[in-house]
Amino acid sequence: DVCSSDLITVRLAVTVMRAADGHSFDASRMRGVGNSPAPSPAAIGTVATTDRVGYASATRVLRLPDVVVYTAS
């Protein structure tokens, strides 16, 4: 829910974390929750889509974004 998400970020002073589609998967900055067949060999190991955004405060990560990663079929 966009309204709930906006309210959380304003009241708790947190930043929404999104993983950009097509960027390399990085387990220290995102959490892989699924996979999808890669449309090309170059896409293997990259983010297909962000399933759920993450949140960070000024001092720490509160929740990593959940992403689907392209894999070899």
Side-chain angles (χ1 to χ4, degrees):
D1 181 321
V2 174
C3 294
S4 295
S5 179
D6 290 344
L7 185 59
I8 289 169
T9 59
V10 170
R11 287 199 176 177
L12 299 179
V14 298
T15 304
V16 174
M17 299 172 60
R18 288 183 177 83
D21 295 355
H23 283 178
S24 294
F25 174 72
D26 180 351
S28 68
R29 296 182 340 175
M30 54 194 79
R31 189 177 94 138
V33 295
N35 58 55
S36 180
S40 70
I44 295 170
T46 64
V47 174
T49 188
T50 298
D51 191 46
R52 188 181 222 179
V53 297
Y55 298 97
S57 70
T59 57
R60 67 186 182 106
V61 173
L62 304 170
R63 181 184 199 297
L64 293 173
D66 292 343
V67 299
V68 175
V69 181
Y70 283 128
T71 58
S73 46

